[in-house]
Amino acid sequence: MSSVTPAIVSEKNSDDLSDQTLIHIEKLNAWYGDFQAIHDLSLEIPKHKVTAFIGPSGCGKSTLLKWINRMNDVVPGARAKGRLTIDDDHQGQRKEIDVLDPNLDVVGLRRKVGIVFQKPNPFPKSIYDNVAFGPRLHMKTSKSELDELVEWSLQKAAVWDEVKDRLHGPALGLSGGQQQRLCIARAIAVGPEVLLMDEPCSALDPSSTLAIEDLIFELRSQYTIVIVTHNMQQASRCSDKTAFFFEGRLIEAGNTEQVFTKPKNKQTDDYVRGKFG
Amino acid sequence: MSTLPSAIVNQDEQYLVDNARRRKQLSIWFYFLCVAIALISVVILVVLMVSIWSQGQSRLTTDLLTRAHSELEIERSGMWPAILGSLFVCGTCALVALPLGVGTAVFLEEFKPTQKVLRWIHGFVQLNIANLAGVPSIVYGLLGLTVFVYMFNVFGQIRVNESAGMEIMGYKHFYQVLTLEPGHVVFAPQTDPTVRQITFDEPFQAVDPDGNPIEISIWTPGTPKPTDPEIRRRTVRSGAIGGTITERNWYYFRLPFDKSFLSGGLTLALVILPIIIIAAQESLRGVPSSLREASMGLGATTWQTVRDVSLPAALPGIMTGSILAMGRAIGEAAPILVVMGAAVAKSSGPQHLMDDAVTMPVLIFNWAGRQQDEFKELSAAAIIVLLVILLLLNSTAIYIRQKVQKAQS
């Protein structure tokens, strides 16, 4: 797959498929051991939009996020039933990836569905090696192609200008916000279609948060973004669709503006106004 | 202020001040206690070093480093074969124990199974390793004796002066026979390894001690004896008896291993294996799981995550544990005595894989127990050499570790 170079990625995304659903979730139930974390959840996640998952701690939003690229595989006792599929354009042919299929190629799934975690977690390697980590796993690239890909990813993640003079310096020497943008660059370097973000700003200061939010806004033209957040303002600022979870159930999902201004459900109303949570 | 509890309101100011002073004093006393305890161990070490140094310093000569143990010239006894022997034994030990130990730790920490039966096996292995770390090393010696030295006698018993067990490669058997020239021998190739001795009564092909092929003729007693030394060297008395002698290449391999340095090294590997496993596990556990998640999230397989993320991050800790373990291996005497015996007469390092060896701790043990004062001083000198070698090995390893750590951060 040496073809996933920046040029191809932008070409692929030039097709305007804006109102399409990319991820379909139907009657999903998920457990950790005996504890049921998600009950009968159905949700559609639109392509090239930002979808925010909100809700109080323990409501199952992170669990759902981590099932989308099967990060829960490594958690002992985690299992899920139901349907979770991702549409896939494979050389012009429509295909569906059945995410919960036990025989699924998880490595391939995670190349399509990248994830950014709550705490910035760059590897204790150089900035360059961090971004090149994913491409080196999956692709066959020449040195110059890899250099180009690293620069493109860092530019996309709006951190290139700050690190271009010290690409081979340690990634852990960056500030928290820069580290998080580096993690985003690392995630998009493998050419994913979906970016999952698990509270990407909760460990950052306000100005770094703003930078990440701007970045999310930028990236949505090319990526389908799912973001979990505790921050109401953040959800209302940078998402197109919002889903409100409570105790493992989806309470309300819809257009962000509608969810925040005139929610249909009383619980949603209380939560977005800050009455509980 | 009636809402405050009486304990806060009715507080004696003087008591508060005194109490604070008393607690501060106690803290200072405790500080000095800790310093004293730390100093005691340092003082004991210094006393030990000084006493060893004063005993052994006069024997720290080049003879000590270059010559072998000698009963006849005690003055000039040395430890060169023991230095070589220790390096060979510990080298074997490191080559076996490091990959096995790190591999086991990776299995236990990074490949945690999810099925119930496998989890049970996993826990069982873990429990056993924790217990093995506490087993006295002499017990490992007995295990090594059964497993490596005798191999349960399944390949036959080793007998004195006989090729024994199951020889696999790197050997050639000859019949050694005396010629008419006193002190000169020739070697006839052995065709049937079960025949230990043959009698020569016909001319035969042989090689001389330099390896050149020569034709050997037979002299029958009663006929005139050749006088030319050249001819005498190529003549054997009729009825002369040739006994088996074996020439071994460095890769000579035989089962069982007998009292070879290989047995010793493998036994030491058993001794330090639990230490290495536990140290490696600890440092793998110290790698933040967020790094593993990051790697998995990018689509790395478990193996790629181990190779590119977990192991590099845990390497400094693994190396520290390995250094400590190797330090223990090089100083270990008890299992070596059981497996390789207490003989110290060997005059060279191991010549082939199955060769026996003297190690430094065994030599020191032997010398320290002798009556002669020279040997007592020699043992002190040998201890100094052992310590220096240990320090050299450790500082090299620490230097490498620092470089690795720097390259990573």
Side-chain angles (χ1 to χ4, degrees), chain A residues 71 112-113 116 136 139 176 191 196 236 252 254 259 264 274:
Chain A
M71 283 307 284
K112 289 205 170 64
V113 185
V116 176
R136 279 175 181 153
M139 306 168 191
L196 307 175
S236 64
E252 184 166 353
V259 170
K264 292 175 185 138

Side-chain angles (χ1 to χ4, degrees), chain B residues 55-387:
Chain B
Q55 279 180 60
Q57 150 270 345
S58 63
R59 295 279 164 192
L60 280 176
T61 56
T62 44
D63 277 352
L64 181 75
L65 292 177
T66 54
R67 288 173 58 90
H69 167 84
S70 164
E71 298 286 343
L72 303 172
E73 277 185 291
I74 301 177
E75 310 283 309
R76 299 193 61 199
S77 270
M79 59 186 299
W80 175 236
I83 295 176
L84 282 179
S86 270
L87 288 182
F88 273 85
V89 169
C90 290
T92 312
C93 168
L95 281 180
V96 174
L98 291 182
L100 272 184
V102 175
T104 310
V106 165
F107 164 68
L108 289 174
E109 285 305 311
E110 305 283 332
F111 290 88
K112 286 192 173 141
T114 40
Q115 283 125 305
K116 209 161 194 181
V117 182
L118 289 179
R119 274 227 294 272
W120 187 83
I121 295 174
H122 199 268
F124 184 72
V125 172
Q126 181 71 68
L127 180 74
N128 274 294
I129 286 161
N131 286 334
L132 282 177
V135 172
S137 55
I138 196 149
V139 178
Y140 285 106
L142 291 171
L143 179 70
L145 193 66
T146 317
V147 176
F148 303 125
V149 176
Y150 298 130
M151 291 193 177
F152 312 100
N153 285 337
V154 286
F155 299 104
Q157 209 151 1
I158 300 270
R159 279 159 297 183
V160 176
N161 286 338
E162 280 185 23
S163 76
M166 203 167 90
E167 295 185 296
I168 294 179
M169 59 179 187
Y171 63 96
K172 245 183 218 158
H173 294 310
F174 294 98
Y175 295 114
Q176 184 184 30
V177 62
L178 278 166
T179 61
L180 293 183
E181 183 71 16
H184 193 79
V185 291
V186 291
F187 305 97
Q190 191 182 58
T191 42
D192 184 355
T194 56
V195 181
R196 312 294 308 168
Q197 266 187 6
I198 59 164
T199 311
F200 293 102
D201 38 25
E202 281 170 14
F204 58 96
Q205 285 288 336
V207 290
D208 65 8
D210 299 325
N212 307 314
I214 41 172
E215 188 78 30
I216 303 294
S217 45
I218 299 292
W219 169 72
T220 323
T223 58
K225 209 170 180 181
T227 46
D228 180 7
E230 272 305 307
I231 298 174
R232 287 163 68 103
R233 276 189 193 135
R234 281 190 265 119
T235 313
V236 165
R237 188 176 54 83
S238 172
I241 289 171
T244 301
I245 191 167
T246 308
E247 183 195 281
R248 297 182 172 98
N249 286 324
W250 69 265
Y251 54 88
Y252 172 61
F253 194 77
R254 171 196 62 203
L255 296 171
F257 293 160
D258 198 15
K259 296 179 175 303
S260 59
F261 81 86
L262 205 61
S263 294
L266 290 170
T267 307
L268 281 189
L270 292 182
V271 175
I272 65 168
L273 201 52
I275 308 176
I276 292 184
I277 294 173
I278 289 171
Q281 268 191 291
E282 282 302 325
S283 47
L284 282 171
R285 241 176 261 160
V287 177
S289 58
S290 64
L291 292 185
R292 282 187 199 98
E293 281 176 1
S295 168
M296 304 292 265
L298 287 167
T301 59
T302 313
W303 161 236
Q304 285 171 320
T305 305
V306 169
R307 190 192 59 196
D308 296 339
V309 178
S310 307
L311 270 186
L315 202 58
I318 293 177
M319 285 187 68
T320 310
S322 305
I323 294 166
L324 290 176
M326 287 313 296
R328 164 135 188 227
I330 205 166
E332 194 69 80
I336 294 289
L337 282 170
V338 176
V339 168
M340 296 167 63
V344 293
K346 197 166 168 62
S347 61
S348 64
Q351 304 296 308
H352 53 80
L353 285 180
M354 294 297 135
D355 209 355
D356 51 1
V358 194
T359 64
M360 287 188 274
V362 170
L363 186 67
I364 292 167
F365 171 75
N366 184 295
W367 281 352
R370 294 301 192 92
Q371 294 297 314
Q372 297 94 325
D373 283 340
E374 289 92 336
F375 275 133
K376 291 212 157 64
E377 289 167 16
L378 276 170
S379 80
I383 289 172
I384 298 173
V385 174
L386 176 61
L387 283 178

Side-chain angles (χ1 to χ4, degrees), chain A residues 120 122-123 125-128 130-131 154 159-160 162-164 166-167 169-183:
Chain A
F123 300 121
K125 301 171 189 276
S126 72
I127 293 168
Y128 184 95
N130 261 279
V131 182
L154 287 167
V159 70
W160 171 252
E162 290 151 79
V163 302
K164 65 180 176 209
R166 45 173 171 157
L167 278 181
L172 293 175
L174 299 174
S175 76
Q178 288 170 331
Q179 286 187 10
Q180 193 63 304
R181 276 177 284 152
L182 175 65
C183 291

Side-chain angles (χ1 to χ4, degrees), chain A residues 239-257:
Chain A
S239 73
D240 303 295
K241 181 171 179 173
T242 296
F244 171 62
F245 294 72
F246 187 67
E247 290 182 345
R249 291 187 168 79
L250 179 70
I251 304 299
E252 184 166 353
N255 194 305
T256 296
E257 210 187 312

Side-chain angles (χ1 to χ4, degrees), chain A residues 151-209:
Chain A
E151 180 180 341
W152 175 85
S153 309
L154 287 167
Q155 264 166 358
K156 273 265 154 214
V159 70
W160 171 252
D161 290 334
E162 290 151 79
V163 302
K164 65 180 176 209
D165 298 324
R166 45 173 171 157
L167 278 181
H168 295 282
L172 293 175
L174 299 174
S175 76
Q178 288 170 331
Q179 286 187 10
Q180 193 63 304
R181 276 177 284 152
L182 175 65
C183 291
I184 293 173
R186 183 175 66 183
I188 59 184
V190 292
E193 284 161 33
V194 183
L195 271 183
L196 307 175
M197 299 192 176
D198 190 2
E199 301 180 41
C201 303
S202 64
L204 304 180
D205 64 41
S207 70
S208 306
T209 302

